Amino acid sequence: MMFAVIFKATMNPNISAAEYDLYLTTATKMRELAFAEYGCIDFTAVTEGQEEIAISYWHDEAAIKKWKSDTEHALAQAHGQHHWYKAYTVEVVEIKRAYQFSAS
């Protein structure tokens, strides 16, 4: 069994260049922390215009809950709510099946 966290956000259109740089630095640090401390399996993020989607994969829901309550992550979330994001949604889903193809 595996889980995914789907984070969909609309960036604040009035974000300053300095604040956006802080966002990029913080996002990188949070991703590294998720892997190093909480067992994140994979993490993919894409941005198109003001829209962002990030999907992270986890072995279990307990690790996701620990990640959500991490002190540094909580501070980043609060800063995001006040500065970086116009809106966001978070979905935690259980992956029932997964398929893969890779051309050789």
Side-chain angles (χ1 to χ4, degrees), residues 17-100:
E19 199 58 55
Y20 187 71
D21 287 345
L22 177 60
Y23 164 75
L24 292 175
T25 300
T26 303
T28 299
K29 186 176 182 181
M30 292 301 100
R31 177 188 285 210
E32 291 169 357
L33 186 64
F35 281 111
E37 297 293 326
Y38 297 100
C40 182
I41 300 166
D42 195 12
F43 192 107
T44 302
V46 294
T47 302
E48 184 176 316
Q50 296 295 315
E51 303 301 315
E52 173 188 348
I53 186 166
I55 305 172
S56 56
Y57 297 90
W58 305 79
H59 288 291
D60 56 54
E61 228 175 336
I64 295 167
K65 288 178 182 177
K66 288 178 184 175
W67 165 239
K68 183 182 184 323
S69 64
D70 177 272
T71 304
E72 277 188 89
H73 189 207
L75 289 171
Q77 290 173 63
H79 195 85
Q81 290 171 352
H82 292 99
H83 300 282
W84 301 327
Y85 301 117
K86 180 178 175 184
Y88 67 81
T89 61
V90 178
E91 300 167 319
V92 178
V93 298
E94 182 180 350
I95 298 171
K96 299 282 187 174
R97 277 182 239 78
Y99 302 89
Q100 187 173 7

